[in-house]
Amino acid sequence: MLTENLDLIINSAASINFDDPLQEAIKINYFGAQRILELAKECKNLEVLTHISTAYVNCNRSGFIEEKIYNEYEDADQIV
């Protein structure tokens, strides 16, 4: 039913508990977003997929951090 009728997905689910074991945080935050993307690819009428992330996605940067996608040279799947 979802893949036939969804036209908008907003993904804002994540754990921001910084005490989670690393494997648990990866399951929730990384693989959860991957599953949403897989669902989106199956939706026949999807017009918008929005992913809302945490404020710590570019924590390796300092100073003013623009709200944009930064090119990274590392493959996230390989790192995980």
Side-chain angles (χ1 to χ4, degrees):
M1 186 171 81
L2 289 175
T3 58
E4 295 293 325
N5 296 300
L6 276 180
D7 61 353
L8 168 72
I9 296 174
I10 300 173
N11 179 37
S12 63
S15 172
I16 56 169
N17 181 3
F18 298 112
D19 295 330
D20 284 345
L22 180 58
Q23 292 299 322
E24 196 64 29
I26 289 172
K27 282 181 193 176
I28 295 167
N29 296 332
Y30 177 76
F31 288 110
Q34 291 292 88
R35 286 192 293 274
I36 290 294
L37 182 58
E38 289 170 15
L39 172 65
K41 288 178 180 178
E42 293 179 27
C43 292
K44 295 173 177 56
N45 299 308
L46 190 68
E47 293 184 30
V48 176
L49 167 60
T50 299
H51 175 78
I52 302 167
S53 192
T54 65
Y56 304 99
V57 294
N58 288 303
C59 62
N60 61 327
R61 300 180 184 279
S62 61
F64 179 75
I65 301 172
E66 291 183 59
E67 196 169 322
K68 69 176 189 176
I69 297 173
Y70 290 88
N71 292 328
E72 294 297 327
Y73 300 102
E74 298 166 11
D75 180 13
D77 290 330
Q78 186 177 13
I79 293 170
V80 170

